[in-house]
Every structure is written in C-alpha cells, then in structure tokens.
Amino acid sequence: MILAAHDHGGDGPPILLLHGAGGDMSAWNVVAPQLNGRCVAVDLRGHGKSPDGPWDWDAVLDDLEATTVQFGLDNPVVVGHSLGGILAGMWARRHPGCPAAVSLDGHRSAATDPANYAGLAPEQVEADLAKLNAIFTAQEEMITRPNREITSTLRNSPEFADALPIFAEVTVPFLLVLATKNLPVPPDLIPLMDAHRAGLRRDLPKICPNVRVHEIDATHGMVFEQPAEVAAVVNGFISG
C-alpha cells in the first residue's frame, strides 16, 4: 500500500515518523523541524489521507518499507508515538541493522491485562477496567477514521495490549519515553492509570533490560505538550 507522507527535509540521518492511533502525519509538524535529520512523516493505513485496509501488523510494516523506498530513506531511525511507538519496536525487531528506534509512550494499552497493573487490589483493577472499556467502546462508536474494523482489531490485538514482549526482542539501540502524568480521565480511574504506570516501571527492567527508559513530565500527548523537550530527548539518543 502506498501511504500518504510528508517530507519535512532536514540534514542528517533519515528519520521515519509514525503517529498514534487516530492521528495523522500532522502530529509531527512542530517536532520534525527540531529533529537532527531528514524527517518523513506518514499517515498509517486507515489514517489521515492514506487508503483503508485491514490492520495486519506485517502488512503495516510492509507499507512502511514501501515508504522508505519511495522517499529514498536508507536504513532510517524510526520514531513513533503511541501506536507508532509500538510499530517502531516492531520495525527495529524486523531490521536488526536499524541505527536506532524510539517509542514515545507506546508500550501497553491503557486497558491491558489485569496483571500489568501494580499496587491496586485485583478486584479494583477488574472493576475499573470495566469502566474504562465502556468509555473506549463509546468513543469507538463516534470515530470515523480509522474505521471500526481497524479500531476493533487494535483493541483486541495482543501486541497493542502489551508490546513489551516485542521490545524485549529488539537488539538495536531502543529508547522508550514514558509519560509521568495522566491524560484526563474520570477521577475514579486515576488509581488505575497510576497502577498502569507502576506496572510499567516494575516490568520494564525485568522484561526489557535492553531498552533505555526516559521519563518526561507530560501526559501521553507529549508530542503536542512538550515538543521541544521530546525533540531534545530524541536528538540526544540518536547522537549518542
């Protein structure tokens, strides 16, 4: 599939930029000019101006392969936000010669396996997950792009629920940037979000000792809230 994409130009190594679920390439409009490299941002299949198509992880990676050929990106660094961060890890696993990959708060869905939450009673986790999934279902019904097929596939995908096993298989330099603040949620779900973050802090050193972790004072929307800091962190990791 040929993806819609925008070449931001720039000097330095090629950088492929991948947005999050429900977003598009415009997510990188502020960050891309601050990155030290030639940046190309894409619309993933089913998003933005790219064509629709069934969500299959290998097929999505093939789309990205075609984009790198189309734009002449030779062995790019891959930087992704949220869903794009999961794909950055998958790309790095597929390309062991990749110079580096960065995931900006792309790791586990907010509604993941109950065992992935730390510091909250199991019965509270189950009750809060039911509330959170009800919110996601209501939101899904209102979204037109990506379509319901893609959103449903993602919500039920093991890779989307927990990408840490994928990250554990990455052998290239890999940075995971974690948000320290919660997105706006109903007050009664704040403990669940805190437990989600605590679970990541507990599990990352055990499951993914190969991954460098950096925390940033922002919510999951860090690309929009702290673009200069995000760019500085990415630039420092790539140059290092």
Side-chain angles (χ1 to χ4, degrees):
M1 179 181 294
I2 302 299
L3 301 178
H6 176 69
D7 189 344
H8 288 269
D11 297 323
I15 303 175
L16 184 64
L17 300 175
L18 312 178
H19 62 77
D24 59 41
M25 68 177 101
S26 67
W28 300 103
N29 285 352
V30 178
V31 173
Q34 301 182 64
L35 294 177
N36 298 332
R38 178 197 169 195
C39 296
V40 173
V42 305
D43 283 343
L44 298 171
R45 65 166 55 195
H47 292 73
K49 298 179 181 178
S50 287
D52 287 322
W55 190 271
D56 174 84
W57 295 104
D58 284 332
V60 172
L61 290 171
D62 290 343
D63 295 344
L64 300 178
E65 299 270 11
T67 300
T68 64
V69 172
Q70 180 183 3
F71 283 86
L73 303 181
D74 182 22
N75 198 23
V77 172
V78 181
V79 180
H81 173 233
S82 191
L83 170 62
I86 296 173
L87 285 166
M90 291 181 172
W91 175 277
R93 182 177 64 173
R94 180 188 272 202
H95 295 270
C98 175
V102 179
S103 172
L104 302 173
D105 217 40
H107 34 65
R108 286 171 171 165
S109 169
T112 181
D113 187 280
N116 292 335
Y117 302 85
L120 199 61
E123 60 273 16
Q124 188 63 54
V125 171
E126 294 284 359
D128 288 351
L129 279 175
K131 296 176 185 177
L132 184 62
N133 277 308
I135 292 173
F136 287 160
T137 297
Q139 292 175 339
E140 188 177 303
E141 293 175 353
M142 299 171 60
I143 295 172
T144 58
R145 192 152 181 82
N147 59 37
R148 292 283 297 277
E149 180 182 357
I150 289 178
T151 55
S152 178
T153 298
L154 285 172
R155 283 187 66 187
N156 292 288
S157 167
E159 296 88 349
F160 188 71
D162 186 3
L164 267 58
I166 294 167
F167 297 169
E169 298 177 355
V170 172
T171 58
V172 311
F174 188 31
L175 174 67
L176 176 58
V177 182
L178 293 182
T180 62
K181 294 181 178 179
N182 297 324
L183 281 169
V185 294
D188 59 338
L189 291 181
I190 290 176
L192 182 71
M193 298 297 97
D194 291 342
H196 183 276
R197 188 178 302 108
L200 284 165
R201 288 170 172 157
R202 175 197 67 194
D203 295 340
L204 277 165
K206 295 185 295 184
I207 300 174
C208 305
N210 56 310
V211 176
R212 184 182 301 181
V213 179
H214 178 90
E215 297 195 1
I216 187 171
D217 188 29
T219 75
H220 184 66
M222 60 178 68
V223 172
F224 309 99
E225 298 168 2
Q226 303 284 358
E229 185 173 354
V230 165
V233 169
V234 173
N235 284 333
F237 180 69
I238 293 174
S239 65

